[in-house]
Amino acid sequence: MNKVLDITAARARLTRLVQEAFVERKRILIGKRGVPMAALLPIVEYEELLQDLEDLRDMEEAEAEYRRTGGKRLEEVVKALKGRR
């Protein structure tokens, strides 16, 4: 686990920390008295996490729909998707 950087120290070094996260791909935990309160991470990693979360929610929704309806034939799904456009 990463060391937690005190929020006061992080404030004083914010520009450098952002550069480390972006250029050096570092993850930085920020908090008080060793307790993490926030994380600074590369934007690419943040975007990947958001996409993964969205994909997981889509899979959960699809599974719930499958359980509710008992499933659908592929042709029905394709027809429904084409109708959304």
Side-chain angles (χ1 to χ4, degrees):
M1 180 163 186
N2 293 349
K3 179 180 169 186
V4 179
L5 183 62
D6 186 73
I7 195 165
T8 304
R11 185 181 305 123
R13 297 178 35 207
L14 185 58
T15 301
R16 177 68 184 137
L17 294 174
V18 170
Q19 182 178 359
E20 287 177 19
F22 183 72
V23 176
E24 300 171 27
R25 307 269 176 156
K26 286 188 178 180
R27 297 180 195 156
I28 300 150
L29 298 178
I30 301 168
K32 280 188 175 181
R33 295 190 259 317
V35 177
M37 298 172 70
L40 184 62
L41 62 150
I43 190 68
V44 171
E45 191 171 327
Y46 170 76
E47 290 169 345
E48 288 171 352
L49 288 170
L50 288 181
Q51 185 62 54
D52 289 349
L53 180 59
E54 185 178 323
D55 292 347
L56 179 59
R57 287 179 178 159
D58 289 345
M59 288 188 292
E60 289 173 344
E61 186 179 309
E63 182 179 5
E65 176 70 16
Y66 178 80
R67 290 182 190 282
R68 243 187 336 273
T69 65
K72 294 182 182 178
R73 294 178 37 141
L74 177 61
E75 293 81 13
E76 294 175 48
V77 173
V78 171
K79 185 177 178 180
L81 289 173
K82 286 182 179 178
R84 288 184 178 178
R85 294 181 193 176

